[in-house]
């Protein structure tokens, strides 16, 4: 039986919604961190209600100048911190569970994705904060994955609903993150135990390499609103999302089965370039962006919204914190998680 959708009612907060942009909530003039904290305490529940309605919300006008200010407001808005596991991209760790949003090169755009969609539990809430805004570009883009799901071809959705999706990772010494960084250990036994516990197939490749494969659901339901959403990295890590020249070099270097990341249908069937184009077009149709300003704070419901990053020029300091962990089993997956087949 499909659960009934439970959307919250508007709160009366002055949230501005413009086409192509995330909803923006402007604060009154706040004198300093103490005033910002008091304002956040007063409006936390209303903000979280608006977040459920929109999937993401940008708060503008907060006097956030240092990472300590951000961490303080995070502790007001987030009930429980969430861990960052099975790391996939480089980040700087500033302590207190605050990280750089990404340390990937400025000219490399980042496609839409739901954080940690491949783990058995994942953050339900992401907070981004701008300390320094870039000269041009660099928006943290967002996409309501309820809209993404509606925009996808129905036959493609049903195939993913029935099979789920596979994530294939090959950890190389000089491409992507090494397994020691991804799993936060230097011990192979620790990796094997983690993979066994988290339903990940794994095999060691020579002295330095590791291959992992895991099947996950491509669709889930939000535990609060019960809405079904598109929730995965199937397009994000597909070979067909790579620039052709980069894909050719990667396949020449690592072989067609040795790419650092690749995806497939959950039964192991290959995704076609046309499949992935359809997924990326659906994301593009739902993507919203707003240029960062110093002090901006953006909350993203990680189940209702995907996020990404535009390429940029100039200095850019965007922090991120994760919270409200959600277990996959509490999100009505359409297929059970399982280790993927190792080929």
């Amino acid at each position: 039986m499909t659960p009934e959708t439970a959307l919250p009612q508007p709160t009366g907060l002055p949230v501005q919604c413009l086409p192509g942009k995330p909803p923006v909530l402007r604060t009154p003039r706040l004198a300093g961190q103490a005033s910002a904290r008091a304002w956040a305490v007063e409006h936390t529940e209303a903000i979280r209600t608006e977040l459920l309605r929109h999937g993401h919300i940008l708060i503008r006008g907060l006097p956030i100048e240092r990472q300590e200010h951000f961490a303080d407001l995070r502790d007001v808005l987030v009930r429980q911190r969430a861990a960052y596991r099975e790391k996939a991209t480089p980040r700087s760790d500033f302590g207190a569970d605050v990280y750089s949003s990404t340390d990937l090169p400025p000219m490399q755009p980042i496609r839409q994705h739901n954080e940690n969609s491949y783990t058995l539990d994942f953050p339900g809430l992401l907070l981004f904060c701008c300390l320094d805004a870039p000269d041009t570009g660099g928006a943290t883009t967002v996409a309501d994955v309820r809209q993404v799901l509606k925009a996808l071809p129905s036959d493609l959705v049903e195939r993913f609903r029935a099979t789920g999706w596979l994530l294939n990772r090959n950890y190389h010494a000089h491409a992507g993150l090494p397994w020691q960084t991804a799993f936060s250990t230097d011990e192979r036994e620790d990796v094997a135990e983690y993979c066994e516990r988290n339903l990940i197939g794994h095999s060691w490749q020579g002295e330095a390499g590791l291959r992992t494969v895991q099947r996950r659901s491509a669709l889930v339901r939000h535990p609060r609103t019960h809405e079904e959403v598109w929730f995965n990295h199937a397009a994000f890590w597909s070979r067909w999302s790579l620039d052709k020249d980069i894909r050719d070099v990667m396949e020449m270097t690592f072989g067609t089965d040795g790419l650092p990341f690749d995806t497939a249908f959950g039964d192991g069937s290959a995704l076609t370039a046309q499949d992935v184009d359809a997924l990326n077009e659906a994301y593009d149709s739902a993507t919203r962006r707003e240029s960062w300003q110093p002090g901006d704070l953006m909350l993203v419901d990680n189940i209702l919204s995907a996020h990404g990053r535009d390429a940029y020029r100039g200095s850019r300091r965007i922090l991120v914190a994760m919270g409200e962990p959600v277990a996959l089993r509490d999100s009505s997956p359409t297929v059970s998680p399982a280790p993927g087949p190792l080929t």
Side-chain angles (χ1 to χ4, degrees):
M1 182 176 179
T2 301
E4 184 177 350
T5 300
L7 289 175
Q9 296 299 310
T11 63
L13 286 178
V15 178
Q16 183 183 45
C17 298
L18 296 176
K21 294 180 177 292
V24 176
L25 170 61
R26 297 179 184 273
T27 71
R29 185 178 297 275
L30 299 168
Q33 182 62 16
S35 296
R37 193 178 207 282
W39 180 88
V41 168
E42 180 182 355
H43 295 94
T44 291
E45 291 308 313
I47 290 169
R48 292 175 68 99
T49 297
E50 293 291 345
L51 180 63
L52 281 178
R53 295 183 63 237
H54 299 288
H56 44 261
I57 187 169
L58 178 71
I59 303 176
R60 177 158 284 169
L62 292 166
I64 303 174
E65 299 177 350
R66 302 195 302 272
Q67 64 193 54
E68 294 85 355
H69 295 165
F70 172 56
D72 183 44
L73 290 175
R74 181 271 316 275
D75 290 341
V76 171
L77 296 167
V78 176
R79 300 186 184 100
Q80 181 182 356
R81 300 181 191 180
Y84 178 43
R85 298 186 299 147
E86 296 177 43
K87 301 178 180 70
T89 57
R91 300 179 192 265
S92 299
D93 186 344
F94 297 114
D97 296 313
V98 173
Y99 303 90
S100 61
S101 60
T102 179
D103 292 340
L104 289 172
M107 295 312 294
Q108 180 178 338
I110 300 173
R111 291 182 180 273
Q112 295 292 334
H113 61 286
N114 300 84
E115 197 69 35
N116 280 150
S117 73
Y118 46 90
T119 56
L120 294 186
D121 57 72
F122 40 80
L125 177 62
L126 308 176
L127 276 76
F128 295 92
C129 170
C130 176
L131 296 186
D132 291 325
D135 297 334
T136 59
T140 296
T141 56
V142 286
D144 186 324
V145 287
R146 295 169 288 196
Q147 296 179 19
V148 172
L149 179 58
K150 292 176 182 178
L152 288 171
S154 58
D155 58 337
L156 190 58
V157 170
E158 291 311 310
R159 189 167 180 188
F160 273 107
R161 187 191 305 279
T163 69
W165 68 290
L166 281 186
L167 171 59
N168 302 286
R169 293 184 68 174
N170 289 283
Y171 301 81
H172 302 286
H174 304 294
L177 296 181
W179 61 263
Q180 293 90 339
T181 302
F183 290 96
S184 301
T185 181
D186 293 324
E187 302 297 330
R188 291 190 175 201
E189 293 81 3
D190 293 342
V191 174
E193 180 183 347
Y194 179 92
C195 289
E196 183 74 20
R197 189 170 65 250
N198 287 276
L199 303 177
I200 302 171
H202 76 285
S203 64
W204 297 101
Q205 311 289 308
E207 291 297 320
L210 171 67
R211 177 174 172 80
T212 62
V213 187
Q214 57 219 81
R215 185 185 73 181
R216 300 294 184 258
S217 183
L219 295 97
V220 300
R221 288 187 179 275
H222 193 283
R224 289 278 304 280
T225 70
H226 307 303
E227 296 165 288
E228 189 172 51
V229 302
W230 185 249
F231 184 81
N232 55 75
H233 277 68
F236 183 82
W237 275 326
S238 170
R239 69 182 64 212
W240 301 114
S241 288
L242 294 172
D243 178 86
K244 182 182 184 303
D245 291 340
I246 294 175
R247 182 171 66 249
D248 289 346
V249 170
M250 296 286 277
E251 290 182 345
M252 185 181 304
T253 303
F254 300 111
T256 56
D257 293 329
L259 299 180
F261 298 96
D262 201 11
T263 60
F265 289 106
D267 60 5
S269 301
L271 285 162
T272 66
Q274 292 74 25
D275 292 333
V276 176
D277 285 346
L279 300 181
N280 284 322
E281 287 169 9
Y283 281 119
D284 290 344
S285 71
T287 294
R288 301 168 180 172
R289 53 176 47 82
E290 170 68 11
S291 297
W292 283 113
Q293 295 182 14
D296 282 351
L297 180 69
M298 185 158 66
L299 284 73
V300 176
D301 185 303
N302 187 45
I303 301 177
L304 297 179
S305 291
H307 66 281
R309 187 198 71 181
D310 287 339
Y312 68 94
R313 295 183 183 276
S315 174
R316 180 184 189 270
R317 281 200 300 161
I318 307 298
L319 306 180
V320 66
M322 309 177 195
E324 316 296 0
V326 176
L328 177 61
R329 64 177 177 271
D330 295 331
S331 304
S332 304
T334 65
V335 300
S336 299
L342 289 160
T343 58

